Amino acid sequence: MRMRRIRNNKVMREMVQETTLEVKDLIYPLFVVEGENIKQEIPTLVGQYHYSVDMLDTEITELENLGIKAVILFGIPDNKDSTGSGAYEKNGIVQKAVREIKSKHPEFIVITDVCMCEYTDHGHCGILDECGVVDNDTTINYIAKIALTHAEAGADIVAPSDMMDFRVRAIREELDKNGFKNVPIMSYAAKYASSYYGPFREAAGSAPSFGDRKGYQMDFHNSNEAMREVELDLDEDADFIIVKPALSYLDIVRRVHDNFNTNLVVYNVSGEYAMIKEAIKQGLLSEKIIYENLICMKRAGAKLIITYHAKEIAKMIGER
Ligand code: PBG
Ligand code: ZN
């Protein structure tokens, strides 16, 4: 068959397209801070902002008008301590943000990132043992407690990003015990220890004060290990599986897609966004690159994409 007969014609070309990108595939990350009347641009993430809770209503209305259905929330507290207590306070920053959004936009899907690194004074994603190493088994009890406070505030989905072992099961048990059987878990199942998170850590003030996250996040030399991580999280009853980062990790996305029947999500992370924005700003790349990249994520097998590009791509898709 000569594909050119079809390719030469724009309409036919579109008719045979195998991959599509729709606005409902997009999840938009939002950073929430304490205070009032704050909408402040994040220096490391141009076009992204820190919002105080009172500014969320307007922002969500804008997202709804663009057809975007879901956000994932990150909280930046004023105070941090060794046990990250701000993460599981009833009146913590994320809990307040969830209540605010759900009270005004009940249909809008609010996903919460469940982790401790924004709340601990040492910046690690868990509780440290006496040697200064993250204690997996202690941490998962805290993680479950955080997830419960998010569900109590009205979160639709909880998304643990800490990469501790058995935390999906711990969260599931805690939610079920407290009447939240219907709140799904979106697990960062294959999350690599990556330099691509740099701009986010600046934005969230969550860089570890010593060491790195290689003890709990995955080694980017490995791919089989990701299959095992995904399998374990599915056994523990995860409802969605996240692979992260996205662009340089599409081989992992494809393998997860082919090996597991699950709701597969990719996280197009901060460093990927920052690189692309800078290249566009410098005139090196056309902004069409954003659409191309997101299509490639879908082609690799992703169902949903968490991306800082959500608003601009929603506008682009609308104009196509
Ligand atoms: C918290 C968390 C991180 C990201 C999402 N949740 C940072 C990290 O693990 O250091 C990264 C998101 C991004 O880079 O856009 N654990
Ligand atoms: Zn973390």
Side-chain angles (χ1 to χ4, degrees), residues 113-118 123-126 161-163 191 200 206 213 216-217:
D113 186 269
V114 175
C115 203
M116 305 195 72
C117 52
E118 296 97 336
H124 278 286
C125 303
S161 64
D162 53 290
M163 283 296 279
K191 174 175 177 180
F200 172 98
S206 66
R213 303 212 203 288
Y216 38 106
Q217 298 182 354

Side-chain angles (χ1 to χ4, degrees), residues 27-28 36 88 95 103 157 182 187 189 210 214-215 221 247 255 269 278 311 320:
I27 299 170
Y28 188 54
E36 266 172 45
Y88 41 88
Q95 291 81 353
S103 69
I157 302 173
N182 291 323
S187 174
F210 65 91
K214 289 184 178 154
H221 299 85
L247 277 175
R255 276 192 79 181
V269 298
E278 186 59 25
K311 284 162 73 173
R320 282 169 65 86

